[in-house]
């Protein structure tokens, strides 16, 4: 059933792509060498090689056996007002179907990767440090912690903007990961951390709780089994989120992106993936 739905979604995606292409001038492909037709891995880190057997189109496609994150060398400038459509063709040729994630690695104005915990606040957790915090502390005192959750993938974000505008995102001033306990001590709340905090800030500093999450923006395939015949995965993304880690908006602070494929996700060499015709277009719609 899943396969049927997926194929239906594919047909729809392909139809939309084809009609858009027919109506307008052919848009520029921002995914350089996405069709593998240089016969090399130019612009792509993570594939094994370009091969000529069983291609989707042209003379070459890419092959990757076993798990690897694959990314474009090109950092593509992202404009918030434009619509980006990413598509690619995939085929499993291994003993088991390949599992893929397909989308983007978001990067900030300094071309640094934006990690999920830098942009993913827990709503309503803005407060201040009740006491100075040292790098080696495993206990952090905050003024109010009623909405803080003790979670193994939680962080303290320091120097947080509590105006509701989230101007501190992406916030790179994070504690180590893991809050074991959030306890009401009357005058203040005590956070017990899994590891030493790793940050040094004075009492009164504004803080907020952040959470880890999906590592990248899996816009075109959010974990998908690939068939032994060629199939297309596609996704559309537009605008920058104010906070959080959505799959249909750029994460806060995104100015550049690399195209990302998690090929044969956590699989061994019984999974073997062919990839061809990766296309990224930018439009005014
Ligand atoms: Ca090709």
């Amino acid at each position: 059933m899943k396969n049927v739905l997926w194929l239906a979604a594919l047909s729809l995606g392909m139809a939309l792509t084809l009609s858009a292409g027919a109506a307008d001038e052919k848009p520029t492909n921002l995914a350089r060498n996405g069709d593998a037709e240089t016969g090399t891995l130019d612009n792509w880190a993570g594939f094994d090689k370009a091969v000529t057997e069983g291609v989707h189109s042209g003379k070459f496609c890419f092959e990757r056996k076993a798990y690897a994150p694959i990314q474009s060398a090109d950092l593509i400038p992202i404009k918030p007002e434009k619509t980006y459509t990413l598509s690619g063709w995939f085929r499993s040729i291994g003993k088991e179907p390949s599992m893929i994630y397909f989308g983007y690695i978001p990067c900030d104005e300094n071309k640094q990767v934006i990690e999920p915990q830098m942009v993913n606040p827990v709503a309503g957790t803005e407060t201040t440090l009740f006491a100075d915090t040292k790098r080696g502390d495993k206990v952090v005192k905050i003024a109010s912690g009623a909405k803080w959750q003790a979670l193994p993938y939680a962080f303290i974000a320091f120097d947080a903007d509590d105006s509701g505008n989230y101007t501190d995102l992406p916030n790179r001033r994070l504690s180590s990961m893991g809050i074991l306990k959030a306890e009401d001590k009357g005058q203040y709340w005590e956070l017990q951390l899994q590891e030493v905090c790793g940050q040094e800030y004075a009492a009164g500093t504004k803080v907020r709780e952040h959470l880890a999450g999906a590592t990248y923006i899996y816009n075109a395939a959010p974990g998908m089994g690939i068939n032994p015949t060629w199939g297309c995965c596609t996704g559309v993304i537009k605008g920058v989120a104010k906070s959080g880690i959505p799959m249909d908006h750029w994460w806060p602070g995104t100015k550049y992106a690399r195209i990302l494929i998690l090929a044969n996700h956590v699989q061994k060499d019984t999974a073997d993936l062919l990839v061809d015709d990766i296309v990224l277009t930018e439009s005014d719609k």
Side-chain angles (χ1 to χ4, degrees), residues 140 154-158 173-179 193 196-199:
V140 174
F155 298 77
I156 306 168
F158 294 90
R173 302 174 296 279
L174 299 174
S175 69
S176 58
M177 186 170 75
I179 297 177
L193 308 186
V196 295
C197 171
Q199 298 282 0

Side-chain angles (χ1 to χ4, degrees), residues 34-38 51 55-62 275-277:
D35 58 6
E37 293 308 306
T38 62
V51 296
V55 300
H56 177 252
S57 72
K59 287 185 179 166
F60 297 94
C61 68
F62 299 112
V275 182
D276 207 348
D277 294 311

Side-chain angles (χ1 to χ4, degrees), residues 145-161:
K147 292 202 173 163
W148 285 61
Q149 301 164 35
L151 291 167
Y153 52 93
F155 298 77
I156 306 168
F158 294 90
D159 263 343
D161 169 21

